Amino acid sequence: MNSETLKQRTKAYSISIAKLISNLPYNVINKNYSNQLVRCSSSVGANYRAACRAKSTADFINKLKIVEEE
């Protein structure tokens, strides 16, 4: 798998999560979970794109560890 494929997959993941959230009923309980899920799903792709712009191999590995934690 190359970096472009993974970028596309993380974007598709974020979009599919957004579609899932939009289908949930809006209430007090779902509001907090929905917000957190949307933020987490989109941050994985953003952090991976940041890792692809790393200045060194060590920087790349460090940034990927952040992606892994998300």
Side-chain angles (χ1 to χ4, degrees):
M1 177 179 318
N2 62 24
S3 69
E4 274 307 309
T5 303
L6 197 50
K7 285 178 187 178
Q8 291 171 355
R9 288 181 67 186
T10 57
K11 182 178 179 179
Y13 174 72
S14 296
I15 292 169
S16 66
I17 292 295
K19 288 179 182 177
L20 171 72
I21 296 299
S22 67
N23 290 328
L24 290 176
Y26 185 79
N27 58 43
V28 175
I29 296 170
N30 287 348
K31 179 182 174 185
N32 291 329
Y33 289 117
S34 299
N35 289 338
Q36 181 64 35
L37 188 56
V38 167
R39 284 193 307 272
C40 289
S41 67
S42 60
S43 69
V44 173
N47 288 334
Y48 178 72
R49 284 170 182 77
C52 289
R53 293 187 304 271
K55 294 179 172 94
S56 65
T57 302
D59 189 27
F60 178 76
I61 291 169
N62 184 47
K63 289 182 182 201
L64 275 185
K65 294 232 179 257
I66 295 169
V67 173
E68 184 180 42
E69 288 176 15
E70 290 290 334

